[in-house]
């Protein structure tokens, strides 16, 4: 069993000693900011939940979230979970046709967005297919203005009861067909990521004042976990930024908001090294750095460690199981290795007959079906489910070698998926765009 994610991340803190602690700091492009306590963020999510119920949504309905990194995203995400609905994060970078595909494939009943992101969609999507459209800053049409709606409704006090394998949220990831695949996660996924909280994050009793900054957007599972659900579950403070993206800006944010944990993709760390001269003495609050999404080069790792006195701790995972391999603070760094399989994870390296391979031999990383962090299955895709699930195993498609000490050396994929700046990109997606170019 597992609690409803909204209860675990917000409600239990809102009713306890952390109620007035800052849960999230939302920073704008001009570096002005808004602080929300656990009590305040929980109340906003409860108002969203009440609105979803009042507007006629039913348990299990999908709610698309196309939002910038503002308070609206966590409030709507946890509000959906609180009410028994399934939030579906959608990237602001999607074109109107790509967004239309997500809307159709997910069968979404509602959309939560803001005016700047909805304006390009208004003339291209079939709004009639969506029973309810919430728009921050809405000033025209039949859309519901988020600010007015939340001010008008009372919080929904009850939290939808959930079992561990009840559906929680649906994310979309690039697939080998060129169209995104829906990846459905359960409420138990929060518990499935606890090994990462113990071994990858530097969480601990003495770190109750941690302030975490992530360079990514909430629609990405990497950020949903490390930049929102995991820190909030542990009662930490998250600094959230929406604005200009540059190496200098990340340094400025760490300094101004005294962040001590910075999370990003290797490219971000490389840019900070190349485009700034900042060192540890310039960022006295920073004590831990984490990356995932693409391989961290030995050069970037060495240069960062020389400048800051501590390394960047790499993690490896996938949308279907989040991050399940990582470097641990107590282990020595090993060149070209992303670390070890986290303690307690039900992950093995298997050969083509699904038998364990000896140390030093190549195999595919496979995850047991009963691993709590593993997703429930691909949305509306029986063919891919049949292909990727075999017996008690989920086949990741990621090949690696594990040495005698447990260090994992990632070899890559065999399905042509490209990783660029942390994004998984299918060649078919690129070709689809090329075909439409005159």
């Amino acid at each position: 069993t597992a609690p409803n994610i909204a209860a675990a991340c917000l409600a239990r803190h809102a009713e306890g000693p952390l109620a007035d602690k800052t849960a999230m700091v939302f920073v704008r492009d001009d570096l002005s900011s808004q602080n929300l306590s656990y009590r305040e963020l929980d109340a906003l999510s409860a108002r969203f939940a009440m609105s979803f119920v009042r507007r006629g949504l039913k348990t299990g309905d999908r709610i698309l979230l196309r939002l910038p990194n503002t308070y609206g995203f966590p409030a709507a995400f946890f509000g959906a979970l609180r009410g028994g609905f399934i939030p579906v994060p959608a990237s602001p970078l999607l074109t109107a046709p790509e967004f239309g595909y997500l809307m159709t494939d997910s069968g979404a009943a509602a959309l939560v967005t803001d005016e700047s992101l909805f304006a390009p969609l208004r003339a291209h999507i079939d709004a009639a297919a969506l029973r309810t459209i919430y728009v921050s800053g809405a000033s025209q049409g039949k859309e519901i203005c988020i600010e007015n709606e939340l001010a008008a409704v009372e919080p929904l006090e009850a939290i939808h009861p959930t079992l561990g394998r009840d559906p929680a949220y649906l994310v979309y990831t690039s697939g080998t067909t060129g169209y995104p695949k829906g990846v459905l996660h359960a409420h138990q996924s929060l518990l499935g990521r606890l090994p990462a909280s113990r071994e990858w994050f530097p969480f601990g009793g003495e770190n109750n004042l941690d302030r975490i900054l992530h360079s990514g957007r909430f629609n990405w599972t990497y950020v949903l976990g490390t930049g929102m659900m995991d820190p909030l579950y542990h009662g930490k403070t998250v600094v959230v930024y929406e604005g200009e993206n540059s190496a200098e800006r990340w340094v400025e944010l760490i300094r101004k908001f005294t962040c001590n944990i910075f999370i990003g993709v290797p490219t971000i760390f490389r840019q900070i090294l190349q485009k700034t001269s900042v060192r540890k003495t310039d960022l006295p609050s920073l004590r831990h750095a984490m990356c995932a999404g693409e391989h961290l080069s030995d050069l970037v790792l060495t240069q960062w460690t020389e400048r800051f006195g501590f390394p960047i701790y790499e993690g490896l995972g996938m949308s279907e199981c989040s991050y399940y391999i990582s470097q641990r603070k107590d282990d020595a760094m090993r060149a070209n290795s992303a670390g070890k399989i986290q303690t307690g994870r039900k992950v093995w390296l298997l050969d083509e007959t699904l038998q364990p391979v000896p140390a030093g031999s190549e195999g595919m990383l496979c995850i047991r079906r009963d691993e709590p962090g593993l997703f429930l299955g691909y949305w509306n895709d029986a063919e891919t489910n049949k292909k990727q699930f075999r017996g008690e195993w989920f086949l990741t498609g990621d090949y690696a070698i594990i040495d005698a000490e447990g260090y994992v050396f990632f070899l890559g994929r065999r399905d042509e998926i490209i990783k660029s700046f942390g994004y998984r990109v299918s060649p078919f997606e690129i070709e689809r765009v090329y075909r439409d170019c005159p």
Side-chain angles (χ1 to χ4, degrees):
T1 62
N4 184 297
I5 290 175
C9 292
L10 288 185
R12 70 187 178 101
H13 297 315
E15 299 170 357
L18 299 182
D20 295 318
K21 178 180 177 177
T22 298
M24 305 188 95
V25 181
F26 297 92
V27 187
R28 307 173 189 91
D29 191 50
D30 63 0
L31 295 186
S32 62
S33 60
Q34 174 189 14
N35 290 10
L36 287 179
S37 68
Y38 277 94
R39 190 197 311 274
E40 292 168 331
L41 188 55
D42 183 60
L44 283 172
S45 72
R47 289 177 185 274
F48 254 119
M50 178 62 84
S51 176
F52 294 148
V53 172
R54 290 269 182 90
R55 296 286 178 173
L57 272 67
K58 306 300 182 185
T59 300
D61 274 351
R62 276 74 62 205
I63 301 172
L64 280 163
L65 308 182
R66 181 181 168 95
L67 290 159
N69 274 10
T70 58
Y71 80 88
F73 189 100
F77 182 85
F78 289 116
L81 294 170
R82 185 187 193 103
F85 312 111
I86 300 175
V88 186
S91 170
L93 301 179
L94 293 177
T95 64
E98 290 169 335
F99 180 81
Y101 172 82
L102 258 65
M103 188 179 77
T104 302
D105 188 72
S106 66
L111 166 65
V112 183
T113 185
D114 80 348
E115 183 60 36
S116 65
L117 293 174
F118 185 60
L121 301 178
R122 189 175 270 113
H124 298 281
I125 66 172
D126 179 13
L130 292 164
R131 295 203 294 274
T132 310
I133 300 177
Y134 295 81
V135 181
S136 177
S139 59
Q140 59 174 303
K142 299 179 180 179
E143 294 91 36
I144 300 164
C145 175
I146 291 176
E147 292 77 10
N148 294 343
E149 180 78 358
L150 295 188
V153 300
E154 294 296 318
L156 179 68
E157 298 296 336
I159 297 177
H160 186 79
T162 55
L163 297 176
R165 289 185 61 80
D166 284 349
Y169 58 95
L170 177 65
V171 295
Y172 277 81
T173 183
S174 290
T176 52
T177 63
Y179 288 95
K181 293 183 297 185
V183 175
L184 183 63
H185 280 277
H187 283 272
Q188 69 181 14
S189 65
L190 190 65
L191 302 181
R193 288 195 303 275
L194 287 180
S197 297
R198 292 191 293 265
E199 298 183 0
W200 192 24
F201 272 98
F203 288 158
E206 72 280 14
N207 300 326
N208 199 41
L209 300 179
D210 283 337
R211 295 171 74 86
I212 296 104
L213 172 66
H214 202 303
S215 66
R217 288 185 175 274
F218 283 132
N219 62 276
W220 189 10
T221 51
Y222 177 28
V223 189
L224 275 178
T226 59
M228 190 172 76
M229 287 187 282
D230 295 346
L232 294 181
Y233 177 80
H234 289 277
K236 309 302 178 181
T237 298
V238 181
V239 178
V240 182
Y241 175 65
E242 177 63 36
E244 172 207 1
N245 185 337
S246 69
E248 295 80 6
R249 179 47 58 95
W250 296 118
V251 169
E252 193 174 10
L253 288 163
I254 293 169
R255 181 186 293 118
K256 179 176 175 63
F257 294 96
T258 59
C259 302
N260 53 14
I261 301 174
F262 180 54
I263 310 172
V265 293
T267 303
I268 295 290
F269 293 97
R270 186 174 67 248
Q271 290 175 346
I272 291 173
L273 291 169
Q274 291 176 344
K275 298 180 180 181
T276 78
S277 59
V278 67
R279 310 184 72 85
K280 173 60 178 173
T281 51
D282 302 309
L283 299 174
S285 66
L286 188 63
R287 64 180 180 81
H288 191 78
M290 299 158 58
C291 76
E294 61 193 49
H295 177 62
L296 176 68
S297 73
D298 290 339
L299 179 62
V300 171
L301 176 60
T302 300
Q303 291 179 342
W304 180 275
T305 305
E306 289 173 352
R307 273 214 220 169
F308 291 91
F310 58 85
I312 303 167
Y313 292 87
E314 188 174 5
L316 190 151
M318 60 193 311
S319 300
E320 292 85 346
C321 194
S322 197
Y323 25 83
Y324 56 91
I325 294 169
S326 60
Q327 290 163 337
R328 307 172 190 172
K329 288 201 69 175
D330 296 333
D331 286 342
M333 292 286 183
R334 192 66 54 88
N336 296 316
S337 173
K340 299 177 180 179
I341 296 172
Q342 293 158 359
T343 305
R345 288 287 200 176
K346 298 178 180 180
V347 179
W348 277 265
L349 200 64
L350 306 180
D351 62 20
E352 293 181 355
T353 64
L354 300 183
Q355 296 301 312
V357 301
S361 297
E362 178 181 341
M364 183 195 292
L365 289 161
C366 297
I367 306 171
R368 279 254 304 266
R369 281 181 182 263
D370 57 351
E371 159 60 43
L374 184 63
F375 75 133
L376 295 172
Y378 294 108
W379 182 262
N380 289 338
D381 196 344
E383 182 179 346
T384 303
N385 282 324
K386 184 177 180 180
K387 177 182 176 183
Q388 297 298 122
F389 286 94
R390 193 177 304 170
E392 62 180 333
W393 299 103
F394 170 70
L395 312 184
T396 68
D398 291 331
Y399 288 80
I401 291 173
I402 301 179
D403 69 12
E405 296 177 74
Y407 285 92
V408 179
F409 298 85
F410 187 63
L411 300 176
R413 301 184 62 82
R414 295 183 182 170
D415 58 8
E416 297 185 324
I417 288 292
I418 300 163
K419 284 194 174 183
S420 176
F421 213 96
Y423 294 98
R424 279 163 49 105
V425 182
S426 165
F428 295 97
E429 290 180 285
I430 300 169
E431 289 169 5
R432 193 171 69 241
V433 174
Y434 281 159
R435 285 198 302 270
D436 292 337
C437 288

